C-alpha cells in the first residue's frame, strides 16, 4: 500500500451544478490547492450527497466530470492530490450505515442544513436527514487530521468529531478525531443579490452567484449589479454593510491583499469604482480556470483515468478502516 508521512486531509464538493461558484472556490478549493503541498490530500466529488436532493442522471454524470475538471483547473495536481468520485469507493456508504446507527434522530434533525434544505423541498428524502452520517464516513475513513470546509459545514464537522469520539469510546480507538479548518476571512461568501444568504449552487439565484465558468460579460454584469448598502463610504463592516463587505472579501481573496489596504485605496471613492475594478479582477482570475476546464473536458477519457486512479488509491485506504470497523462492531 502507498503510504505518506505527511499529515492527511480530506474534503469534497457536491456535483450539484455545472459550475462551481466563487464561494466554493474561495471557501474550499483554494484551501484544497494550498494543502496539497503539505498534506497527503484526498479530494472527492460528492455525487452520492448530490442525490439527497433531486438530480437528473444525465446532469449528474456530466456535473461529476465537470467538477473534477474544475478541481484540476483550479490547481489541484493529480500527482499530489488523490482526486476521486465518492460512489466509486463503496466503503463510504458502508461506513455511513454504521455511523447512522451511531447517530441519534435528535442530532440529525437538529442540523441546520437539513432544516434549510428540507424546507425548500417538496419531497424530503431520508438521505437528506442522514447526509451528515455519510459525510462523517467520507472523512473518518481516511483518518485525516484536518478537514478544510466553509463555515456552513462547521456543524457537520462537529457531529463528525462527536461520532468519532463516541465510536472510539464504545469500541476502542478506531478513528482520528479531525479538526475543521475554516478560514475566518473567507469561510462564507454571500449571494450578491442577497448578502444575508450564502452563495450556493442549489439556490435558483444565477444573478447573485458568480460561477467559475461564467464568461467575462456575465461576470461583469453580476458584479456591477451586486446589491450594496445605504451610505456611500467603502468600509468593511459585515453587520452594517454586508453587501460591500462581501465584495471586499472577494476582492481581498482574489488579490491576496489585506482588506484594510483595499479600503484605504478606495477612500473617497464610490461603490461603482470598487465594482468596476473587482469585475476586472474577477475576469482576470477566473478566465484561466474557465479555459483550462474547457480544455480538460475535451479529453474525458483522460479525466476518467485520473478519477479511476484516484478511486483505486482511496479504496485501498478506506477498505482498511472499514474492515477494522466491521470487525469491532461484530460483523462476521
Ligand atoms: P449545494 O447548494 O448543492 O449544497 P454548495 O454551494 O453549498 O452546494 P457544497 O458542494 O455543498 O456547495 O460545498 C462544498 C464546499 O464549499 C464546502 O466546504 C462548503 O462549506 C463550501 N462552501 C459552499 N458555499 C460556500 C460559500 N458561500 N462560501 C464559502 N464556502 C462555501
Ligand atoms: Mg452545500
Amino acid at each position: 500500500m502507498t503510504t505518506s508521512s505527511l499529515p492527511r486531509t480530506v474534503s469534497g464538493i457536491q456535483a450539484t451544478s455545472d459550475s462551481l461558484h466563487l464561494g466554493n472556490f474561495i471557501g474550499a478549493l483554494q484551501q484544497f490547492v494550498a494543502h496539497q503541498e503539505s498534506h497527503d490530500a484526498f479530494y472527492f466529488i460528492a455525487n452520492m450527497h448530490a442525490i439527497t436532493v433531486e438530480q437528473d442522471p444525465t446532469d449528474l454524470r456530466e456535473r461529476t466530470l465537470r467538477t473534477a475538471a474544475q478541481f484540476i483547473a483550479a490547481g489541484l495536481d493529480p500527482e499530489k492530490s488523490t482526486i476521486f468520485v465518492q460512489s466509486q469507493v463503496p466503503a463510504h456508504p458502508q461506513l455511513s450505515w454504521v455511523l447512522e446507527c451511531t447517530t441519534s434522530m435528535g442530532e440529525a434533525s437538529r442540523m441546520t442544513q437539513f432544516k434549510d434544505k428540507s424546507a425548500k423541498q417538496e419531497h424530503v428524502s431520508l438521505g437528506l436527514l442522514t447526509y451528515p452520517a455519510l459525510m462523517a464516513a467520507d472523512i473518518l475513513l481516511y483518518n485525516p487530521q484536518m478537514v478544510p470546509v466553509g463555515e456552513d459545514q462547521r456543524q457537520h464537522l462537529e457531529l463528525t468529531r462527536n461520532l468519532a469520539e463516541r465510536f472510539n469510546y464504545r469500541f476502542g480507538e478506531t478513528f482520528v478525531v479531525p479538526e475543521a479548518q475554516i478560514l475566518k476571512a473567507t469561510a462564507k461568501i454571500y449571494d450578491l443579490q442577497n448578502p444575508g444568504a450564502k452563495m450556493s449552487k442549489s439556490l435558483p439565484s444565477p444573478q447573485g452567484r458568480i460561477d467559475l465558468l461564467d464568461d467575462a460579460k456575465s461576470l461583469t454584469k453580476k458584479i456591477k449589479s451586486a446589491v450594496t448598502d445605504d451610505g456611500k463610504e467603502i468600509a468593511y463592516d459585515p453587520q452594517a454593510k454586508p453587501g460591500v463587505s462581501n465584495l471586499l472579501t472577494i476582492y481581498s481573496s482574489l488579490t491576496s491583499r489585506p482588506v484594510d489596504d483595499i479600503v484605504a485605496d478606495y477612500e473617497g471613492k464610490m461603490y461603482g469604482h470598487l465594482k468596476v475594478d473587482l469585475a476586472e479582477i474577477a475576469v482576470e482570475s477566473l478566465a484561466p480556470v474557465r479555459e483550462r476546464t474547457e480544455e480538460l473536458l475535451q479529453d474525458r477519457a483522460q479525466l476518467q483515468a485520473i478519477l479511476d486512479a484516484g478511486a483505486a488509491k482511496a479504496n485501498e485506504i478506506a477498505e482498511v478502516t472499514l474492515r477494522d470497523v466491521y470487525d469491532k462492531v461484530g460483523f462476521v
Side-chain angles (χ1 to χ4, degrees), residues 11-17 20-29 32 46 53 55 113 117 131 148-154 186-191 197-203:
S11 199
I13 296 189
Q14 297 190 74
T16 36
S17 135
L20 301 181
H21 56 73
L22 207 55
N24 303 134
F25 184 65
I26 294 173
L29 253 183
F32 295 2
V53 295
Q55 300 292 324
Q113 177 176 290
K117 287 198 174 176
Y131 182 116
V149 284
E151 178 61 40
D152 62 301
Q153 295 302 319
R154 184 188 292 279
T186 53
K188 197 166 182 181
I189 302 298
Y190 293 90
D191 189 291
K198 92 168 182 77
M199 199 178 274
S200 272
K201 283 185 251 115
S202 58
L203 287 181

Side-chain angles (χ1 to χ4, degrees), residues 153-170:
Q153 295 302 319
R154 184 188 292 279
Q155 195 185 30
H156 287 166
L157 242 299
E158 207 40 57
L159 178 66
T160 300
R161 290 168 54 83
N162 289 340
L163 294 177
E165 278 165 359
R166 194 174 302 163
F167 191 96
N168 288 348
Y169 181 76
R170 170 82 174 78

Side-chain angles (χ1 to χ4, degrees), residues 119-159:
K120 291 181 191 116
Q121 307 295 319
E122 241 172 70
H123 161 80
V124 179
S125 73
L126 190 52
L128 198 58
L129 180 68
T130 58
Y131 182 116
L134 178 57
M135 177 162 157
D138 298 336
I139 296 167
L140 298 178
L141 279 172
Y142 300 91
N143 285 308
Q145 281 74 20
M146 185 270 280
V147 182
V149 284
E151 178 61 40
D152 62 301
Q153 295 302 319
R154 184 188 292 279
Q155 195 185 30
H156 287 166
L157 242 299
E158 207 40 57
L159 178 66

